[in-house]
Amino acid sequence: MNGQPWARMVFLDQWQLGTPDFEKVMKDLMSWCVSHQLKYTAYVFQPSHLREHQLDKLINQASDTSPKKMFTHQQDALDWLNSVGFALPSQSNSKC
């Protein structure tokens, strides 16, 4: 990343819910990301009330104020990241 702004797409369909000690690790990771120029995050997963609840809790308690959005389709996340200036080099119909 060489100190340049960056964005990330996080796939959470295989993510299991975390314990309270997991939340500290995630907060530390989010802080690291922001201090290393993270600008946008797209979360991609199929609807799950428990997953959304824990993710909302982590996001709202973090000091990270970079824009974040949740998506159910990868292409929607790619389109959003592209719209804010972070396109994948070979984005046409590719899978991550």
Side-chain angles (χ1 to χ4, degrees):
M1 296 172 279
N2 296 326
Q4 298 297 311
W6 57 287
R8 65 182 179 163
M9 185 173 355
V10 181
F11 295 93
L12 296 173
D13 277 337
Q14 301 300 316
W15 175 51
Q16 302 297 314
L17 298 177
T19 59
D21 56 324
F22 158 82
E23 292 179 11
K24 166 129 177 44
V25 172
M26 287 305 298
K27 288 177 192 174
D28 291 346
L29 174 61
M30 287 182 202
S31 293
W32 182 90
C33 289
V34 170
S35 70
H36 287 84
Q37 301 297 313
L38 174 68
K39 297 301 177 191
Y40 297 92
T41 300
Y43 295 99
V44 181
F45 59 94
Q46 292 306 306
S48 161
H49 294 294
L50 290 174
R51 199 177 286 147
E52 288 178 50
H53 173 73
Q54 189 166 40
L55 189 57
D56 280 340
K57 182 178 174 185
L58 288 171
I59 289 171
N60 291 331
Q61 291 178 356
S63 59
D64 171 13
T65 59
S66 64
K68 300 161 207 57
K69 285 193 173 190
M70 296 179 202
F71 300 91
T72 56
H73 295 88
Q74 176 181 329
Q75 189 59 52
D76 294 336
L78 288 168
D79 291 344
W80 176 65
L81 290 173
N82 185 46
S83 76
V84 295
F86 290 95
L88 290 176
S90 57
Q91 182 175 323
S92 60
N93 296 323
S94 65
K95 294 281 183 188
C96 292

